[in-house]
Amino acid sequence: MNNTTTGAASITAPTRTEYMNSILINLRVEPNGMKVGYIPLELCTIPAFQRNDTKNIAHIAEAWDDTKCGYITVNSHEDCFSVIDGSHRVRAARLCGKTHILAKVYQALTLEEEAEIFVHQ
């Protein structure tokens, strides 16, 4: 068997950052400049300032209806989406086997700015 190369370019998987960038590029931009669209739940993280109350999550998952979920609010970082508003819906969506969720996406907010938006929602 000959071990020489065929000259074909090697295929590499995208990095997590490249994956995030492709998601952001494909979001719809609203007239007010806000980006909206479906984002992968696997890339959603829930920051410490969010409530950790999980008692209603099973009930939300049980009654899950995509048409009633509404937008969660997230901030995109280099490799994840930090959930600003909607942590219960994210946890419930994961529980009922969803892979994506509808989101309003901010970019490049500081942790303090995320907390400020959370407080005012």
Side-chain angles (χ1 to χ4, degrees), residues 13-117:
T15 65
R16 193 168 168 127
T17 301
E18 290 168 336
Y19 182 38
M20 284 290 297
N21 287 337
S22 70
I23 293 165
L24 292 171
I25 288 169
N26 289 296
L27 294 173
R28 184 179 78 234
V29 180
E30 297 284 295
N32 65 1
M34 178 63 64
K35 290 186 174 189
V36 297
Y38 284 92
I39 61 170
L41 286 164
E42 68 181 340
L43 296 180
C44 293
T45 61
I46 300 171
F49 64 78
Q50 289 279 0
R51 295 179 300 237
N52 198 20
D53 175 17
T54 60
K55 66 182 176 188
N56 294 321
I57 292 172
H59 176 68
I60 295 168
E62 227 172 74
W64 189 267
D65 182 346
D66 286 328
T67 63
K68 295 179 182 175
C69 177
Y71 294 92
I72 65 166
T73 305
V74 299
N75 180 32
S76 70
H77 296 281
E78 186 174 307
D79 62 350
C80 69
F81 293 101
S82 177
V83 178
I84 297 171
D85 182 52
S87 64
H88 287 89
R89 286 173 282 165
V90 166
R91 289 180 174 118
R94 287 176 177 157
L95 189 60
C96 64
K98 299 293 180 182
T99 58
H100 290 74
I101 194 162
L102 192 58
K104 293 187 284 186
V105 181
Y106 287 91
Q107 289 184 263
L109 297 177
T110 65
L111 184 60
E112 291 78 19
E113 290 169 325
E114 288 181 20
E116 186 71 23
I117 291 170

